[in-house]
């Protein structure tokens, strides 16, 4: 069995992170959103969850005039979906930072 490339490993780690956060959020939702797990779920998707909340959910609530978008009702599969989307935003942020660092390094080498 050959070892995966660094990019393949990064993709596996990103997919594992997304799956783990989404699964943990689903379990947290099924358990009735206990208060003890709320901090862990917030930190697992931070800062992507906050970015998603501010850029998507709050403007959506303002546009529709419906507070049900941001209210925490009973059991909802939207909450785990939003935690998973926050984790996806985190992966995309990290991908952007790494791409910028690679580009910056290549430009530094070319400018010498």
């Amino acid at each position: 069995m050959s070892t995966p490339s660094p990019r393949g490993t990064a993709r596996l780690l990103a997919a594992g992170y997304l799956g783990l956060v989404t699964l943990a959020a689903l379990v947290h939702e099924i358990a009735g959103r206990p208060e003890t797990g709320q901090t862990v779920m917030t930190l697992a998707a931070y800062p992507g969850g906050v970015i998603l909340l501010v850029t998507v959910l709050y403007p959506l609530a303002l546009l529709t005039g419906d507070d049900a978008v941001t209210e925490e009702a009973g059991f909802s599969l939207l909450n785990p979906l939003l935690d998973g989307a926050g984790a996806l935003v985190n992966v995309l942020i990290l991908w952007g930072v790494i791409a910028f660092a690679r580009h910056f390094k290549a430009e530094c080498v070319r400018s010498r």
Side-chain angles (χ1 to χ4, degrees):
M1 183 174 189
S2 65
T3 59
S5 67
R7 289 185 184 215
T9 303
R11 287 184 184 130
L12 285 174
L13 285 173
Y17 169 66
L18 286 172
L20 185 65
V21 169
T22 306
L23 181 66
L26 183 62
V27 168
H28 183 254
E29 185 69 27
I30 290 171
R33 279 183 276 157
E35 196 64 35
T36 55
Q38 190 62 39
T39 304
V40 174
M41 291 315 307
T42 301
L43 289 177
Y46 185 82
V50 175
I51 292 170
L52 189 69
L53 186 70
V54 171
T55 60
V56 175
L57 287 181
Y58 287 158
L60 184 63
L62 287 174
L63 289 174
T64 61
D66 186 17
D67 289 337
V69 174
T70 56
E71 281 181 6
E72 292 189 14
F75 182 81
S76 170
L77 289 178
L78 186 63
N79 292 329
L81 179 67
L82 292 176
D83 283 333
L88 178 63
V89 170
N90 288 341
V91 168
L92 292 175
I93 289 170
L94 186 60
W95 174 76
V97 167
I98 291 171
F100 175 77
R102 285 182 180 157
H103 178 72
F104 187 77
K105 181 182 173 188
E107 288 296 321
C108 284
V109 169
R110 268 190 243 155
S111 67
R112 288 184 186 180

